[in-house]
Amino acid sequence: MTTDISASLAQRLKTETHAQHERMHGLMEQGQPFADRTRYARFVAAQYLFQRDVEQLFADPAVRTAVPDLDSRGRSAVSLLDLHDLGATQPDDAIASQGVQMPAALGWLYVSEGSTLGAAFLFKEARAKLGLDETFGARNLAAYPEGRAQAWRRFLAALQESGLNEAEQAEVVQGAHAAYDRFGALLETHLLATQP
Ligand code: HEM
């Protein structure tokens, strides 16, 4: 039954990418993005480039069919505004998601959308430690207008309704691994690399 298969896809994504999520915690711990606004801007650079990769997938009609509310998602534009607020330059890099298609695209979206949940904690830190908020500097960590939980539930519903078979689900998980790998590489390059 579709519901059961896809309910297990959400669970499978969570379980099978658990180590990757832990790795993100480790990288953030190492990178100390809230030590000062300069370090934080380096995190936002990684966020901007990752969001650009993810949003590149929004143009694909098959992805739009699977997740119909894509226009309300994505944070590259607000990340760019944050970089401007912080007086940081716009980073550039090749798009890493070139050629990614359904169903792997859903794995990239899973990582991006899931990261809005953890962003609640990061947002609080940005506000408390750096004085940033949803109008200045920390837009990329702010909740979607409808709220984090609601947007996440609708994304899970889209996963649930995708009705993917076993092989397709494995591709979604692979896509999630690739997306985590990309975000990890961006954190390493932009947040962890020695300050030029
Ligand atoms: C120190 C940084 C981070 C913290 C403290 C954090 C924390 C959290 C927390 C508490 C949740 C669960 C929220 C809930 O169930 O209500 C969560 C979920 C998630 N986070 Fe993070 N996170 C961090 C970084 C990241 C990064 C960098 C990414 C990816 C780019 C990411 C991707 C995800 C995903 C995909 C989920 C959904 C897991 C699921 O339920 O399937 N997180 N995070």
Side-chain angles (χ1 to χ4, degrees):
M1 200 170 82
T2 305
T3 304
D4 290 339
I5 290 171
S6 297
S8 74
L9 172 57
Q11 190 51 52
R12 199 176 154 181
L13 279 162
K14 184 170 184 158
T15 308
E16 295 187 25
T17 63
H18 176 75
Q20 291 264 40
H21 191 252
E22 288 298 297
R23 179 169 171 254
M24 296 302 118
H25 278 218
L27 291 173
M28 293 289 277
E29 189 71 27
Q30 253 179 285
Q32 292 295 313
F34 304 106
D36 57 50
R37 286 190 179 191
T38 307
R39 291 210 69 75
Y40 170 73
R42 293 166 64 164
F43 163 79
V44 181
Q47 173 84 296
Y48 165 69
L49 291 171
F50 180 65
Q51 289 298 314
R52 214 181 46 156
D53 289 341
V54 171
E55 285 168 30
Q56 187 267 136
L57 304 170
F58 290 8
D60 182 340
V63 178
R64 300 191 78 80
T65 301
V67 185
D69 62 2
L70 282 178
D71 290 336
S72 65
R73 302 183 186 272
R75 286 162 286 145
S76 77
V78 290
S79 300
L80 200 50
L81 289 174
D82 287 339
L83 286 169
H84 290 152
D85 292 342
L86 298 160
T89 52
Q90 178 173 350
D92 199 15
D93 194 7
I95 297 282
S97 59
Q98 213 68 58
V100 172
Q101 293 178 340
M102 283 288 290
L106 279 182
W108 280 75
L109 279 165
Y110 162 78
V111 173
S112 177
E113 290 305 313
S115 75
T116 65
L117 301 177
F121 297 88
L122 306 184
F123 182 77
K124 280 185 194 146
E125 285 201 76
R127 191 166 50 195
K129 297 185 178 157
L130 303 173
L132 305 172
D133 61 25
E134 69 281 0
T135 66
F136 187 90
R139 305 162 213 254
N140 77 98
L141 299 173
Y144 289 129
E146 67 173 313
R148 297 181 200 274
Q150 288 81 346
W152 178 240
R153 270 201 296 273
R154 277 195 294 111
F155 177 71
L156 291 183
L159 273 188
Q160 196 168 332
E161 281 154 26
S162 62
L164 301 177
N165 65 31
E166 176 63 29
E168 291 164 335
Q169 289 192 19
E171 286 188 54
V172 178
V173 175
Q174 276 315 109
H177 281 301
Y180 267 122
D181 286 347
R182 170 62 168 163
F183 201 86
L186 286 168
L187 286 179
E188 279 171 343
T189 305
H190 293 271
L191 181 61
L192 300 179
T194 313
Q195 184 86 49

